[in-house]
């Protein structure tokens, strides 16, 4: 038997959950189909909201990055009405080459796992692997390992796995460490400390130290990355050398050939909107993506 819904979101990560949360807030009947694969990017994401720190100034992403930063306080407040804090923190401190610290007000960080958890409150989320999307009269048939659904509209937000459905999205592996027992964390190192591609920030689950980047679908930690991350921790945070490793995180960032997210109609599947390919900027760009998908859906754009 085929079950029918108004909107189905394929993917329950940071982007998919926030898109579903936004659509539901606008009154849509939304179902999220979430494969919960190893390597899901949101589980390993830092949660940095730092357009300047990510060197986005002067790039095509900079306006959306600034708009995402502007939208986060209101979105965080809406999410936290679920009773789940998302740990939005303003202000960034960066370690400079050769020593010293520079402060950038107006930027910040949050906790991606908490954002996903808060966004999913009140949503129907079904554990299912989507196998195919088949445009049909009046909508899209969604075939999964748990049976078939039919929806008037489908949002493809499956992260790195979106590429299996005909869009140019691949995987960039990132690894990070969560450390516990670091002196001063939560006070001196509340905002992120940065140096080149390395950064450390205090989060509710420990001191986050990141992050590596390589084109790979591997989802298991490796010793070389662990050594590099330990070195980054020693450089950025005095006292981190002997800290306990609470977790070695591995995530697959969804990347596109030109580095720009795909947000809009699917190129070949009528009734399907795409929200994927945000790379390392998912946390920063998520509010803009969710608002853009809502606007497209309300205008009836689907092909």
């Amino acid at each position: 038997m085929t079950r029918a819904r108004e909107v189905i979101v394929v993917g329950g990560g940071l982007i998919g959950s926030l898109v579903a949360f936004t659509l539901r807030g606008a009154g849509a009947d939304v179902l999220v189909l979430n494969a919960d694969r190893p390597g899901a990017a949101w589980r390993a994401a830092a949660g940095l909201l730092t357009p300047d720190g990510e060197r986005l100034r002067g790039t095509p992403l900079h306006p959306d990055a600034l708009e995402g930063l502007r939208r986060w306080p209101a979105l965080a407040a809406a999410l936290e009405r679920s009773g789940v804090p998302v740990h939005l923190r303003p202000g960034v401190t960066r370690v400079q080459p050769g020593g010293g610290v520079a402060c950038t007000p107006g930027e910040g960080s949050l906790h991606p796992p908490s954002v996903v958890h808060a966004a999913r409150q009140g949503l129907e989320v079904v554990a299912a692997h989507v196998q195919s999307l088949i445009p049909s009269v009046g909508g899209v048939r969604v075939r999964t390992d748990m049976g078939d659904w039919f929806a008037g509209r489908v949002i493809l937000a499956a992260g790195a796995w979106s590429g299996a459905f005909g869009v140019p999205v691949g995987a960039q592996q990132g690894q990070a460490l969560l450390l516990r027992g670091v002196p001063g964390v939560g006070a001196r190192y509340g905002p992120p400390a940065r140096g080149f591609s390395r950064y450390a920030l205090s989060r509710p689950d420990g001191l986050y130290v990141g992050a590596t980047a390589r084109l790979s679908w591997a989802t298991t930690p490796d010793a070389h990355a662990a050594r590099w991350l330990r070195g980054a921790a020693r450089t950025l945070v005095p006292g981190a050398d002997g800290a306990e490793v609470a977790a070695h995180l591995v995530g697959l960032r969804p990347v596109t050939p030109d580095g720009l997210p795909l947000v809009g109609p699917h190129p070949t599947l009528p009734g399907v909107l795409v929200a994927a390919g945000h790379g390392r900027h998912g946390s920063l760009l998520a509010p803009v993506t969710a608002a853009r998908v809502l606007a497209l859906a309300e205008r009836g754009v689907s092909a």
Side-chain angles (χ1 to χ4, degrees), residues 143-185:
R143 289 189 170 165
T144 84
D145 62 342
M146 300 298 291
D148 288 4
W149 275 267
F150 182 86
R153 185 178 307 281
V154 167
I155 315 299
L156 176 60
W161 296 273
S162 299
F165 301 95
V167 292
V169 178
Q172 181 195 70
Q173 184 210 71
Q175 298 188 45
L177 294 180
L178 275 176
L179 303 178
R180 290 182 185 155
V182 182
V185 167

Side-chain angles (χ1 to χ4, degrees), residues 211-228:
T212 67
R214 67 187 179 104
L215 294 177
S216 172
W217 284 90
T219 59
T220 54
D222 66 74
H224 176 75
R227 288 192 294 272
W228 187 88

Side-chain angles (χ1 to χ4, degrees), residues 270-284:
V272 178
L273 293 173
V274 181
H278 294 72
R280 61 185 297 136
H281 310 304
S283 295
L284 186 56

